[in-house]
């Protein structure tokens, strides 16, 4: 991981969707007046006819995307995670997931790392809500390389996908040769003292922590759980058996998110002690992202 | 198949109404009032207006219909079955555990259903998405969407009206089934959505007001809608909830209730007598 080479996953998404738009003319992009922030403005510039600004109306946007998908289009619908999963939950449930329509919801600005905008804009419940929906695939990606892979890989799923993206510029972890597979977590390191299962921008935090601990003689391994649903049961159980102790970390509430999903697997297959790190049943507040992570004791 | 004979269309509408009562009686559940109010609209769409082929329910060039007021599923199912999308005997399985005919329209399992609906207020946005796609494809497809007059109390409908106007969806035709009743009472008492015509006009629609039970007027309105360019059309159809069954007409209590055996017999007698 190169801590000086930073890029936000929303930027990686914006870049990649333009590339895909050139190859696949069925791809259309919808946004709700946030194209400059979600970076779909790049697609808008390249393909103005296939870009639909739906105004500040997320519910309308999601159902419109459903109608387009029913017509054979492949809509990527973007807005902030709080407005996508929160404001438009019923539209995602009934217009998109129930008929299993091919809509890719690419939600940016997830988590407290949104920073200064504060609690109203810091989505901490989206993984929880989205993973309960039948037919939905839920992904939460960590870096530039993984995001670009995911934005393309989800094209192979003929059904709804929720892809969680961040606002903050974060270090690039992987190189171009990294192999990814939907539903398969990535194990980083072979430490046997503990496993830290992380998702999204917390993967970088986990890698930094692992480097620090190594100097103190503690060897942990990190798992980048980029697919929350379907979750990699096999890898979770393997790590629990090998390291005995599991820690989860997510920029999300510890209720219903990655930590809960991991506990569900372990409770059923290999009960062991799990520590869940993340937001502990509270709303966030304004501040710099790095300060907020410290304040809420994410690490 | 395009039927132009008005009395033939009226006969089909009566048969579709019989199907509605059969469904709700067989399922001991469902929404007869708002189904009966929109039967004539559906008859005109499926037997006179829409470019469809029941043998190819997924044809990409077909016109689309979205029943945004999804609880009127008995009317849609009876119409689709009459049009030949599936066997009439399916109607008797309505809302049963092994039936394809779910309580609200399910596009994954029912031939001829273009969009799953049920949660009110979402269908028009879906129809917009279809109309926008059709414009991208330049395929000449027309998209129809039926809204309830109570349904338009949902805020998303007004978001969608703005979108339809913004994107100049002249291939879209919205119909409002204005039967004046919702579950808790009259529209004006519960949450007044009037004046519907003026509101739609101010949102950029070409608005046509018609008697929603007059087949001839409905056909003319749909024909006019096709000629209007640069903006979507809304047909505000004045209807009677429970139309065709005397004791259900204009009765709010028949929004979501199945008839008992005696009521069923009376309803069937009335409808068949008129056939």
């Amino acid at each position: 991981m190169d801590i000086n080479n930073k890029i936000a996953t929303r930027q990686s998404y914006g870049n990649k969707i333009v590339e895909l738009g050139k190859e696949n003319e069925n791809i259309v992009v919808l946004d709700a007046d946030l194209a400059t922030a979600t970076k779909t403005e790049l697609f808008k510039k390249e393909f103005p006819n296939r870009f639909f600004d739906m105004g500040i109306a997320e519910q309308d946007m999601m159902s419109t995307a459903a109608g387009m998908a029913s017509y054979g289009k492949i809509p990527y619908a973007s807005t902030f995670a709080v407005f996508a999963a929160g404001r438009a939950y019923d539209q995602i449930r009934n217009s998109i997931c129930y008929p299993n329509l091919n809509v890719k919801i690419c939600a940016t600005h997830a988590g407290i790392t949104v920073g200064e905008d504060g609690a109203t804009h810091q989505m901490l419940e989206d993984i929880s809500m989205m993973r309960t929906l039948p037919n939905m695939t839920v992904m939460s990606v960590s870096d530039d390389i993984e995001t670009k892979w995911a934005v393309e890989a989800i094209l192979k799923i003929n059904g709804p996908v929720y892809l969680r993206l961040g606002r903050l510029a974060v270090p690039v972890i992987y190189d171009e040769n990294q192999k990814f597979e939907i539903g398969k977590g990535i194990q980083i390191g072979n430490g046997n003292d503990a496993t830290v299962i992380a998702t999204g921008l917390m993967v970088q935090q986990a890698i930094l922590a692992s480097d620090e601990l190594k100097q103190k003689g503690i060897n942990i391994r990190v798992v980048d759980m980029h697919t929350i649903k379907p979750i990699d049961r096999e890898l979770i159980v393997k790590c629990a058996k090998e390291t005995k102790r599991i820690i989860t970390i997510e920029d999300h509430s510890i209720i219903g998110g990655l930590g809960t999903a991991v506990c569900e697997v372990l409770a059923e297959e290999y009960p062991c002690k799990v520590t869940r790190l993340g937001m502990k049943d509270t709303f966030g507040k304004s501040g710099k992202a790095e300060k907020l992570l410290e304040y809420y004791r994410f690490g | 198949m395009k039927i132009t004979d008005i009395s033939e269309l009226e006969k089909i509408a009566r048969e579709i109404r019989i199907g509605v009562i059969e469904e709700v009686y067989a399922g001991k559940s469902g929404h007869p009032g708002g189904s009966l109010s929109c039967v004539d609209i559906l008859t005109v769409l499926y037997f006179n207006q829409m470019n469809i082929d029941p043998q190819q329910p997924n044809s990409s060039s077909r016109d689309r219909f979205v029943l945004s007021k999804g609880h009127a599923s008995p009317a849609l199912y009876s119409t689709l079955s009459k049009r030949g999308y599936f066997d009439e005997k399916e109607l008797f399985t309505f809302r049963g555990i092994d039936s394809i005919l779910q309580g609200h329209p399910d596009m994954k399992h029912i031939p001829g259903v273009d969009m799953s609906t049920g949660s009110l207020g979402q269908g028009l946005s879906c129809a917009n998405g279809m109309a926008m796609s059709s414009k991208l494809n330049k395929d000449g497809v027309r998209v129809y969407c039926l809204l309830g007059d109570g349904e338009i109390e949902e805020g998303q409908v007004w978001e969608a009206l703005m979108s339809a106007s913004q994107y100049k969806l002249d291939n879209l035709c919205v119909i409002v089934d204005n039967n004046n009743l919702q579950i808790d009472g009259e529209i004006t008492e519960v949450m007044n959505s009037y004046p519907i015509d003026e509101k739609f006009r101010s949102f950029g629609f070409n608005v046509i007001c018609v008697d929603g039970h007059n087949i001839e007027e409905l056909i003319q309105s749909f024909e006019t809608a096709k000629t209007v360019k640069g903006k979507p059309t809304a047909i505000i159809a004045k209807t009677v909830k429970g139309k065709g069954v005397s004791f259900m007409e204009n009765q709010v209590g028949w929004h979501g209730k199945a008839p008992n055996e005696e009521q069923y017999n009376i309803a069937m007698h009335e409808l068949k007598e008129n056939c």
Side-chain angles (χ1 to χ4, degrees):
Chain A
M1 184 169 81
D2 177 0
I3 56 165
N4 296 313
N5 180 18
K6 289 184 176 178
I7 178 169
T9 52
R10 61 180 163 134
Q11 183 68 52
S12 314
Y13 161 59
N15 294 342
K16 186 67 184 181
I17 195 69
V18 172
E19 210 178 285
L20 295 177
K22 288 175 186 161
E23 297 160 10
N24 190 335
E25 63 175 24
N26 281 326
I27 292 177
V28 291
V29 173
L30 298 91
D31 207 301
D33 196 40
L34 286 170
T36 52
T38 63
K39 301 301 170 192
T40 60
E41 61 178 348
L42 300 168
F43 188 93
K44 176 186 182 179
K45 202 174 155 201
E46 197 76 27
F47 307 104
N49 293 337
R50 287 195 271 144
F51 176 83
F52 299 90
D53 202 323
M54 302 310 296
I56 308 165
E58 296 79 13
Q59 303 172 39
D60 183 41
M61 176 175 76
M62 291 303 175
S63 299
T64 302
M68 289 175 165
S70 81
Y71 216 92
K73 301 293 175 195
I74 308 170
Y76 280 68
S78 286
T79 180
F80 291 179
V82 72
F83 308 128
R87 187 65 173 253
Y89 177 80
D90 188 45
Q91 286 71 19
I92 295 174
R93 181 185 191 276
N94 285 310
S95 288
I96 297 173
C97 287
Y98 175 49
N100 196 19
L101 289 169
N102 195 19
V103 177
K104 314 305 179 192
I105 300 162
C106 295
T108 67
H109 294 65
I112 61 161
T113 46
V114 159
E116 294 84 344
D117 274 353
T120 55
H121 285 55
Q122 294 162 344
M123 186 29 134
L124 298 162
E125 311 91 56
D126 53 339
I127 293 176
S128 172
M129 290 193 289
M130 293 296 105
R131 79 187 184 92
T132 62
L133 290 170
N135 294 330
M136 183 68 102
T137 298
V138 181
M139 300 186 71
S140 160
V141 284
S142 59
D143 83 337
D144 177 57
I145 305 288
E146 187 171 273
T147 304
K148 287 192 287 198
W149 159 73
V151 173
E152 182 168 13
I154 58 178
L155 276 172
K156 296 191 190 83
I157 299 171
N158 185 20
V161 176
Y162 183 81
L163 177 61
R164 191 180 205 246
L165 302 162
R167 167 178 181 253
L168 199 63
V170 287
V172 176
I173 301 169
Y174 303 107
D175 62 34
E176 301 285 349
N177 300 320
Q178 178 67 42
K179 294 267 180 283
F180 299 98
E181 194 182 333
I182 291 171
K184 295 283 173 205
I186 298 167
Q187 186 178 325
I188 301 166
N190 287 310
N192 276 331
D193 294 334
T195 303
V196 177
I197 303 178
T199 194
L201 315 186
M202 294 303 103
V203 176
Q204 284 88 340
Q205 300 288 324
I207 292 170
L208 289 174
S210 143
D211 291 346
E212 264 179 49
L213 287 170
K214 195 176 248 169
Q215 289 174 5
K216 293 179 186 165
I218 302 168
N219 291 309
I220 65 165
R221 67 178 70 169
V222 173
V223 168
D224 174 354
M225 199 61 86
H226 52 69
T227 312
I228 311 279
K229 183 188 168 191
I231 202 155
D232 191 345
R233 301 178 74 91
E234 207 179 318
L235 183 59
I236 293 169
V237 172
K238 171 181 169 283
C239 289
K241 285 180 179 167
E242 289 173 3
T243 70
K244 309 296 177 209
R245 178 149 189 190
I246 300 282
I247 299 150
T248 62
I249 178 160
E250 59 200 305
D251 184 0
H252 185 276
S253 170
I254 59 166
I255 302 172
L258 169 72
T260 305
V262 167
C263 286
E264 287 165 3
V265 172
L266 291 174
E268 285 173 352
E269 298 199 22
Y270 192 78
C272 70
K273 185 162 173 65
V274 178
T275 304
R276 291 172 300 155
L277 300 177
M279 285 296 272
K280 294 171 183 68
D281 199 18
T282 182
F283 286 106
K285 55 195 273 179
S286 292
K288 291 242 171 283
E290 297 81 0
K291 293 277 182 201
L292 288 167
L293 290 174
E294 250 174 65
Y295 181 87
Y296 289 107
R297 303 175 66 84
F298 266 57
Chain B
M1 181 179 74
K2 177 174 176 167
I3 297 176
T4 52
D5 183 82
I6 303 297
S7 60
E8 176 65 16
L9 287 166
E10 285 169 347
K11 180 170 171 285
I12 290 169
R14 284 192 291 272
E15 288 166 356
I16 290 173
R17 285 194 165 87
I18 288 170
V20 168
I21 299 300
E22 293 287 17
E23 285 173 87
V24 178
Y25 181 64
K28 297 275 177 278
S29 163
H31 299 80
S35 294
L36 293 170
S37 66
C38 67
V39 165
D40 302 296
I41 298 163
L42 292 177
T43 301
V44 170
L45 284 173
Y46 278 88
F47 290 85
N48 178 274
Q49 285 291 312
M50 286 167 64
N51 175 28
I52 45 172
D53 177 3
Q55 301 307 311
Q56 297 182 66
N58 299 318
S59 157
S60 59
S61 62
R62 73 192 191 275
D63 286 347
R64 308 298 204 273
F65 175 74
V66 179
L67 182 68
S68 195
K69 47 171 284 184
H71 56 280
S73 55
L76 179 61
Y77 300 163
S78 184
T79 305
L80 290 173
S81 134
K82 189 84 200 150
R83 188 69 176 79
Y85 282 91
F86 50 81
D87 197 288
E88 190 188 21
K89 66 174 188 279
E90 291 288 342
L91 298 180
F92 296 86
T93 69
F94 179 57
R95 292 192 165 213
I97 194 158
D98 296 321
S99 178
I100 58 165
L101 303 182
Q102 294 294 296
H104 293 81
D106 172 6
M107 67 185 285
K108 286 291 165 189
H109 296 101
I110 310 172
V113 172
D114 293 324
M115 178 54 65
S116 299
T117 50
S119 183
L120 293 176
Q122 300 185 22
L124 180 54
S125 304
C126 299
N128 284 348
M130 296 173 188
M132 290 151 109
S133 302
S134 164
K135 281 196 172 284
L136 271 181
N137 291 1
K138 297 185 173 64
D139 56 16
V141 164
R142 288 190 65 76
V143 182
Y144 297 91
C145 177
L146 182 67
L147 295 167
D149 54 1
E151 179 185 15
I152 64 176
E153 291 162 9
E154 288 280 6
Q156 187 186 348
V157 171
W158 303 94
E159 296 180 357
L161 290 172
M162 275 189 274
S163 301
S165 181
Q166 178 77 20
Y167 284 97
K168 299 182 172 56
L169 302 179
D170 50 18
N171 54 346
L172 172 80
C173 183
V174 178
I175 310 103
V176 179
D177 180 6
N178 184 199
N179 62 32
N180 200 46
L181 292 174
Q182 57 188 121
I183 298 179
D184 284 349
E186 288 191 18
I187 299 291
T188 43
E189 286 167 9
V190 180
M191 185 52 66
N192 194 353
S193 55
Y194 294 112
I196 301 172
D197 53 347
E198 287 179 33
K199 284 177 180 163
F200 275 59
R201 209 171 278 125
S202 73
F203 273 69
F205 274 64
N206 169 53
V207 175
I208 304 171
C209 295
V210 294
D211 171 353
H213 302 304
N214 185 317
I215 301 278
E216 209 165 354
E217 270 189 43
L218 283 167
I219 292 174
Q220 279 168 6
S221 309
F222 285 120
E223 289 300 332
T224 305
K226 286 180 196 164
T227 66
V228 176
K229 297 297 168 198
K231 56 162 76 173
T233 290
I235 296 174
I236 316 299
K238 188 81 201 73
T239 58
V240 172
K241 199 157 182 171
K243 177 73 176 175
V245 177
S246 61
F247 59 89
M248 289 186 182
E249 287 192 0
N250 286 317
Q251 295 302 310
V252 75
W254 285 100
H255 172 86
K257 188 173 78 169
N260 62 28
E261 190 181 349
E262 188 191 349
Q263 290 162 335
Y264 165 81
N265 287 331
I266 297 169
M268 293 308 269
H269 178 73
E270 287 183 10
L271 290 168
K272 284 181 176 166
E273 200 174 56
N274 287 328
C275 258

